[in-house]
Amino acid sequence: MAPLRVGLVGLGEVAQSIHLPVLADQRDRWAIAGVHDVSPSLVALITSQYATAKAYDSAEALINSPDVDVVFVLSSDDTHSRFVRAAIAADKHILLEKPACLTVREIDELLALMPAYQKTLFVGYMRRYAPAYLAARDELPAYADITHVRIYDLISEGRHFLRKSQNVLYPNDIDPALLSRGARERDALIREVVGADAPDDLVRAFRGLTALSSHHISAMRGLIGEPARVVAAHRTNAGANTSVTFDYGHFACLYDAVVDDLGLFDAMIEVRSNTRRVRIIYDTPYIRSLPTRLEVTEAGPLGPVTKSFGPLYGDAFSNELEIFHRHITEGTKPLTDLADSRRDLALMARIIERMKESG
């Protein structure tokens, strides 16, 4: 099969550090056919680095090009719905970076278009495709035996790691009017969820949920299913830090997100029964092929015994694109699709409601 021709809308941090290098590595599956960004300097940089990448004057021109088979929507969150709608109309396969959208309303409008859409739409929750995560599914205690789940993200922003490892271009030539319009549109979407008069810390908490926390909320649901309710949710540090308790009936799941400027990445999912602990350990995804690890600890006659899987150097983003390609070629349905992402956004809205109640 000839490589699928990919057009990328948005050439920011994740495109430069992850998607473009992975696409180039997987040259037997993908060809970088086209790019568009609102920054002329980014377009010039990428077309100079990737000889097959044609520059398009608009996202719509790229999406509608007969020379593009697959559209990667890597642009700002407020544009996702518009570009996905255009790609569905153009009958293109779609990789959509998380979050799929900022509101349930947007997703519902896109879902209404899906019955007539015969291609593959894949939402990029790469933590669900990390080797340790995939291996953990076979090691979990029986659901009825789970007594507690603990998840945390104690991390710093990606730039802390990228500045020391890669030469990512952060452009300064985007039209200020375009930036201002995008900020207004993004704020309007966020306030559909948090409320028109929401304080700044609640707005920041929601932005954190749709950005960092969306990975682990999706991963949590993929491992242990849907929670019955959000028992409690609290925000601190001007909304940068979030603590949530999910009710699963016979056990609770505690989630903590802490974002600081220390320059460390410490992310983990732990599922426990009375005699077994399964722990998935993540490192920063911005440095490709850093390992994930899986630890399984069981009670034994002489004390606890821990079995380690890894370090597992399989790159979660590479795995994600391999699986996306397989869905396209085999016509199968992704686990991380629009309907799945809707459940994430609905859960985030419930978290926000609990935060409002707790003040």
Side-chain angles (χ1 to χ4, degrees):
M1 178 179 179
L4 295 167
R5 298 168 298 176
V6 176
L8 294 86
V9 177
L11 300 173
E13 192 177 80
V14 72
Q16 294 175 63
S17 63
I18 300 295
H19 287 298
L20 284 161
V22 173
L23 288 168
D25 282 352
Q26 296 183 8
R27 56 190 175 275
D28 56 326
R29 297 182 178 90
W30 316 101
I32 301 168
V35 295
H36 170 73
D37 196 276
V38 293
S39 163
S41 63
L42 273 180
V43 173
L45 173 67
I46 300 307
T47 53
S48 71
Q49 291 179 331
Y50 298 92
T52 58
K54 175 185 174 181
Y56 287 84
D57 292 336
S58 69
E60 288 76 14
L62 180 150
I63 290 168
N64 289 297
S65 170
D67 298 323
V68 169
D69 304 311
V70 186
V71 176
F72 278 38
V73 179
L74 312 177
S75 51
S76 58
D77 303 340
D78 52 286
T79 66
H80 284 188
S81 176
R82 172 160 48 103
F83 294 150
V84 169
R85 185 183 298 270
I88 289 173
D91 201 31
K92 301 297 172 73
H93 300 288
I94 304 165
L95 183 135
L96 175 59
E97 259 300 340
K98 61 83 196 163
C101 294
L102 290 172
T103 68
V104 170
R105 173 188 61 79
E106 294 171 283
I107 294 229
D108 283 343
E109 290 172 356
L110 294 176
L111 284 171
L113 305 175
M114 295 305 288
Y117 176 68
Q118 300 301 311
K119 297 294 177 68
T120 301
L121 193 157
F122 184 101
V123 182
Y125 282 114
M126 52 79 195
R127 284 194 196 178
R128 287 179 68 170
Y129 300 97
Y133 181 89
L134 297 175
R137 295 182 302 183
D138 295 328
E139 300 292 335
L140 293 178
Y143 187 81
D145 294 336
I146 295 175
T147 57
H148 187 70
V149 177
R150 183 167 61 108
I151 303 174
Y152 61 74
D153 279 307
L154 312 180
I155 72 170
S156 302
E157 296 287 351
R159 294 188 187 197
H160 286 274
F161 311 101
L162 289 172
R163 285 195 185 106
K164 301 174 180 66
S165 62
Q166 298 181 47
N167 189 15
V168 172
L169 174 62
Y170 298 98
N172 56 13
D173 60 350
I174 301 174
D175 181 353
L178 198 60
L179 288 173
S180 179
R181 187 182 75 187
R184 289 194 304 271
E185 292 175 352
R186 184 164 53 253
D187 185 66
L189 289 168
I190 290 171
R191 290 186 184 278
E192 282 188 38
V193 181
V194 301
D197 300 321
D200 289 345
D201 65 334
L202 189 62
V203 171
R204 185 174 181 183
F206 181 69
R207 293 191 68 171
L209 287 171
T210 59
L212 160 69
S213 298
S214 64
H215 280 296
H216 262 154
I217 288 173
S218 178
M220 174 189 78
R221 292 179 40 260
L223 275 184
I224 59 174
E226 305 286 335
R229 64 191 178 109
V230 178
V231 177
H234 194 62
R235 64 193 186 277
T236 56
N237 191 23
N241 298 351
T242 298
S243 297
V244 185
T245 303
F246 298 102
D247 175 17
Y248 276 86
H250 65 286
F251 67 92
C253 173
L254 308 184
Y255 172 71
D256 282 306
V258 176
V259 181
D260 57 29
D261 292 319
L262 192 58
L264 293 175
F265 194 99
D266 189 6
M268 183 202 74
I269 301 175
E270 180 179 278
V271 181
R272 302 177 73 111
S273 70
N274 282 323
T275 59
R276 188 176 184 86
R277 183 188 73 184
V278 177
R279 180 181 285 180
I280 308 165
I281 303 164
Y282 293 95
D283 210 325
T284 174
Y286 281 99
I287 313 301
R288 289 185 57 207
S289 295
L290 284 185
T292 54
R293 288 178 288 142
L294 174 64
E295 294 179 354
V296 179
T297 301
E298 295 184 279
L302 300 179
V305 176
T306 298
K307 177 173 61 175
S308 295
F309 298 76
L312 302 168
Y313 289 97
D315 177 15
F317 280 102
S318 296
N319 286 358
E320 177 184 72
L321 290 197
E322 288 177 9
I323 292 169
F324 177 40
H325 188 274
R326 195 179 312 142
H327 284 306
I328 291 173
T329 56
E330 297 177 1
T332 50
K333 177 180 165 58
L335 293 173
T336 52
D337 61 5
L338 274 181
D340 184 73
S341 289
R342 187 193 189 282
R343 289 190 280 273
D344 292 327
L345 283 171
L347 191 52
M348 292 174 202
R350 287 155 60 190
I351 292 169
I352 291 297
E353 291 306 310
R354 281 288 177 267
M355 286 185 178
K356 288 180 180 180
E357 292 169 5
S358 69

